[in-house]
Amino acid sequence: MSTPTATFKTLDDLESDQRVLVRLDLNSPIEDGEPQDNRRFERHAETVRELADAGHRVVLLAHQGRPGRDDFVSLAGHADILASHVGRDVGFVADTYGDDAIDAIEALEPGEILLLENTRMCDDELPEEDPEVKAETEFVQSLAPHFDAYVNDAYSAAHRSHASLVGFPQVLPAYAGRVMQTEYEANTAIAEKEFDGQVTMAVGGTKATDVIDVMNNLGEKVDDFLLGGIAGELFLRAAGHPVGFDLDPEQDLYDTQWEQNHELVEEMLAERGEQITLATDLAYEAEGERAEVDVDEIEEKDVSFLDVGTDTAEGYADVVRDSEAVFVKGALGVFEDERFSVGTVTVLEAIAETDCFSVVGGGDTSRAIGMYGMDEADFDHVSIAGGAYIRALTGQPLAGVEALKEQ
Ligand code: 3PG
Ligand code: MG
């Protein structure tokens, strides 16, 4: 892969024996108040271990949830999970920049690791403001004097202009961590890399606007968009099929999105129809089992579809096998339920078996790889980012990345 990393400094540029402040993204699913292990820990552990092994004093910043939500909890449990992946102790202090935090930071020996409390427990963190404003906050001003360098590894949070992401690069020499570097290179490649053969993108998930933005931004780059998920059903509806049924009107997965986007979707189908492949069959639940129907045979909008059909999945897999590069954004069905995993898994398996350049991301889609026994090594890049991945695909700058580039 070509490396556009000359745009920012990396750990290769870090001097020895530094006191480093490292921003990770450990934002995780929370069950009964406890963080659940996931690949974010595993990925960031590599950056943390590299820094500790090199003898730096390593202090970690991360966020969890948002104030007012159930997933807004302390990072105490995150420290233990991270330690298990790093293979070294990870200390924790229930303070982000007060005296307790500063005392713990000053007590660190070379090679020791300390995680500070949830950055979003500080009032200075969340309001989206310019880096210059963030740099002046008490949060940044209190912590920065205790460090020689700042490392941002939180690519998946880099679309946020929060203090811990954009403030510190204003006041400390700043570097990209290994996760930041890898994610940036792979996700930027989609828009910048040249491919000789067919470029395919499987797009699904729940948000029509994400799909529309991605298709508009990558329309020149991608030869064939294979649609699925809720977004795929909205395109099918625009093509005249009575699909997109809200089983629970309270949830409103389709109708509001339809009202807001159908004109644009109809226009895209009319103008670029040959670039867009829609499902020819869909799957639903009948008496507890997976059932399928041809799209042409659907006469009434009264079934909630949960996956693309088997014929569609196999057709999509054939397209993948003929491709030079394949990108995945969002799932083609409710893959968490094995009965409705066929579309997502068939496409991912075809990518894994094919010698194409591949990047998988967007929400939780990459979870299907581990859940269904595929090997991450069979993909060029599996992103741990959701919102940041979409923004990268749609060509929007990420505040946290821009802050590193300005160094
Ligand atoms: C994520 O989990 O997607 C990132 O950490 C960003 O979190 P946020 O959407 O709560 O800002
Ligand atoms: Mg491959």
Side-chain angles (χ1 to χ4, degrees):
M1 205 185 299
S2 69
T3 46
T5 41
T7 49
F8 44 53
K9 289 186 282 186
T10 72
L11 300 191
D12 300 327
D13 304 303
L14 197 59
E15 283 173 36
S16 57
D17 198 21
Q18 301 278 285
R19 298 170 301 166
V20 282
L21 182 63
V22 189
R23 178 57 155 100
L24 308 179
D25 185 359
L26 302 179
N27 198 31
S28 300
I30 302 291
E31 278 173 31
D32 301 324
E34 291 299 322
Q36 305 299 301
D37 198 358
N38 64 84
R39 59 157 65 68
R40 284 184 174 173
F41 287 97
E42 186 188 314
R43 294 279 178 86
H44 285 300
E46 288 178 33
T47 298
V48 174
R49 191 183 317 110
E50 178 177 340
L51 290 166
D53 284 355
H56 302 296
R57 290 168 170 82
V58 185
V59 177
L60 309 172
L61 284 173
H63 74 274
Q64 174 62 53
R66 274 179 190 258
R69 292 199 328 210
D70 287 350
D71 65 349
F72 184 58
V73 300
S74 166
L75 297 186
H78 298 64
D80 295 335
I81 301 176
L82 185 63
S84 72
H85 289 282
V86 177
R88 282 174 176 261
D89 287 343
V90 175
F92 172 74
V93 57
D95 182 22
T96 313
Y97 63 83
D99 290 344
D100 289 350
I102 303 300
D103 288 348
I105 293 165
E106 289 302 322
L108 282 183
E109 298 289 337
E112 286 186 338
I113 305 162
L114 172 72
L115 176 63
L116 303 176
E117 185 57 289
N118 189 345
T119 56
R120 290 185 180 177
M121 291 183 178
C122 307
D123 294 340
D124 289 338
E125 172 73 342
L126 275 172
E128 293 268 341
E129 288 163 326
D130 289 342
E132 296 74 23
V133 177
K134 289 306 193 188
E136 292 302 320
T137 58
E138 194 179 306
F139 175 12
V140 172
Q141 291 293 324
S142 307
L143 276 185
H146 301 277
F147 295 93
D148 306 305
Y150 168 81
V151 172
N152 190 351
D153 211 28
Y155 178 87
S156 49
H159 52 309
R160 309 287 184 211
S161 193
H162 296 164
S164 64
L165 294 156
V166 301
F168 291 104
Q170 299 283 316
V171 295
L172 286 170
Y175 304 82
R178 297 305 182 200
V179 173
M180 170 67 76
Q181 195 183 344
T182 310
E183 289 268 7
Y184 177 78
E185 285 170 15
N187 302 336
T188 309
I190 301 178
E192 290 178 359
K193 210 171 147 103
E194 293 295 330
F195 300 98
D196 293 333
Q198 149 109 7
V199 178
T200 300
M201 184 158 204
V203 284
T206 55
K207 267 172 90 185
T209 47
D210 281 353
V211 170
I212 292 167
D213 288 351
V214 166
M215 287 171 73
N216 279 335
N217 193 63
L218 295 176
E220 307 268 292
K221 192 90 210 175
V222 174
D223 301 299
D224 201 351
F225 291 100
L226 310 174
L227 269 76
I230 287 170
E233 272 187 82
L234 292 172
F235 275 74
L236 280 172
R237 205 199 270 191
H241 301 284
V243 299
F245 174 66
D246 273 307
L247 188 59
D248 173 6
E250 290 273 293
Q251 247 192 323
D252 185 14
L253 295 171
Y254 299 96
D255 287 342
T256 302
Q257 294 206 74
W258 171 256
E259 274 156 41
Q260 287 166 354
N261 300 299
H262 74 96
E263 281 168 16
L264 203 53
V265 172
E266 283 158 6
E267 191 182 303
M268 288 170 84
L269 277 178
E271 283 171 13
R272 305 162 38 189
E274 74 290 344
Q275 207 185 7
I276 299 171
T277 305
L278 302 179
T280 53
D281 57 348
L282 293 169
Y284 59 100
E285 187 183 311
E287 289 164 21
E289 309 261 325
R290 177 186 174 99
E292 301 196 344
V293 61
D294 280 352
V295 165
D296 288 333
E297 279 161 25
I298 302 170
E299 280 165 7
E300 240 173 301
K301 197 178 81 169
D302 56 3
V303 178
S304 169
F305 293 106
L306 299 168
D307 192 12
V308 297
T310 306
D311 282 352
T312 301
E314 281 168 5
Y316 285 4
D318 286 341
V319 176
V320 163
R321 287 187 202 99
D322 287 336
S323 301
E324 183 74 19
V326 184
F327 304 109
V328 178
K329 186 228 82 67
L332 299 182
V334 188
F335 69 83
E336 293 85 350
D337 181 333
E338 198 173 350
R339 294 169 300 167
F340 303 107
S341 64
V342 174
T344 306
V345 171
T346 304
V347 166
L348 288 173
E349 283 178 348
I351 296 170
E353 286 158 15
T354 306
D355 189 23
C356 56
F357 176 76
S358 59
V359 181
V360 178
D364 273 351
T365 319
S366 55
R367 256 196 326 134
I369 294 173
M371 264 180 87
Y372 293 100
M374 289 170 267
D375 187 350
E376 266 194 32
D378 288 329
F379 300 84
D380 287 87
H381 181 62
V382 177
S383 178
I384 53 171
Y389 179 70
I390 303 293
R391 281 189 179 63
L393 296 190
T394 57
Q396 298 172 56
L398 304 175
V401 173
E402 295 308 303
L404 287 181
K405 285 183 181 171
E406 281 154 20
Q407 283 288 303

